[in-house]
Amino acid sequence: IRKHIDKFKNEGAGFIVVKNWIEYGSFNTMPPRKFVGLRSEMDVVIAKYKSQGKDWTIIRDELNLGISTNLETEEVYYVKIDGNDSRFNYDIPNGNEVGAIIGEWVPGGYTKNGTTESVLIGSEIINHNKSVIQLLNNFNGKWEKIR
């Protein structure tokens, strides 16, 4: 477990943000224990998405967001977190997190497709008040609109 968490501390993490999920979601903050992927592996997923004509199903399928997830008309951002960001710690997901989709989430710190994942401890301190711009402003320009 320590080696898994150390990967995130050393390398950092990344996650996607879907504008409508923020603006019409249940939270005014990031959810507790927010899922994140290992930065290098998330970079690969995003590069694959871009190289294959920005096919949104790549993001859905690579990150196991569930077959019913449709990102076709969604505004999507990719956010990067430095491993030494003092606001956060990392932990192994336990399946009780918001976004742990039945049939998609698997134990062990990896998605079903093999992307190394963790959860952010302290994520709920990021208050966005249901504004994607306010959320992104918490990450000092370390984000990009990908869709």
Side-chain angles (χ1 to χ4, degrees), residues 5 34-35 42 57 66 82 111 119 131 143:
I5 291 170
K34 165 79 178 114
F35 281 108
M42 288 295 294
T57 63
D82 290 334
T111 66
V119 291
S131 164
W143 56 270

Side-chain angles (χ1 to χ4, degrees), residues 30 39-40 45 50-51 58-59 61 83 100 109 118 130 136 139:
M30 285 177 49
R39 174 99 162 252
S40 61
V45 170
K50 289 177 178 178
S51 73
I58 291 169
I59 294 170
D61 297 343
S118 181
K130 299 189 179 200
L136 296 171
F139 293 95

Side-chain angles (χ1 to χ4, degrees), residues 4-24:
H4 189 89
I5 291 170
D6 283 348
K7 289 180 190 177
F8 288 87
K9 287 180 180 178
N10 292 327
E11 187 176 310
F15 64 95
I16 64 159
V17 173
V18 178
K19 181 180 179 183
N20 281 335
W21 294 0
I22 297 300
E23 295 186 350
Y24 298 102

Side-chain angles (χ1 to χ4, degrees), residues 2 27 29 37 61 89 94 96-97 101 105 121-122 134 136:
R2 191 170 321 142
F27 295 93
T29 66
D61 297 343
N89 286 305
N94 61 27
N96 294 315
E97 293 84 9
I101 301 168
W105 182 83
I121 303 302
Q134 190 170 335
L136 296 171

Side-chain angles (χ1 to χ4, degrees), residues 93-143:
N94 61 27
N96 294 315
E97 293 84 9
V98 171
I101 301 168
I102 295 172
E104 295 295 332
W105 182 83
V106 293
Y110 298 90
T111 66
K112 280 173 50 176
N113 281 335
T115 302
T116 306
E117 70 178 351
S118 181
V119 291
L120 284 180
I121 303 302
S123 53
E124 65 277 7
I125 67 165
I126 302 298
N127 191 338
H128 55 68
N129 290 316
K130 299 189 179 200
S131 164
V132 74
I133 297 303
Q134 190 170 335
L135 173 93
L136 296 171
N137 284 340
N138 283 281
F139 293 95
N140 302 321
K142 292 184 179 180
W143 56 270

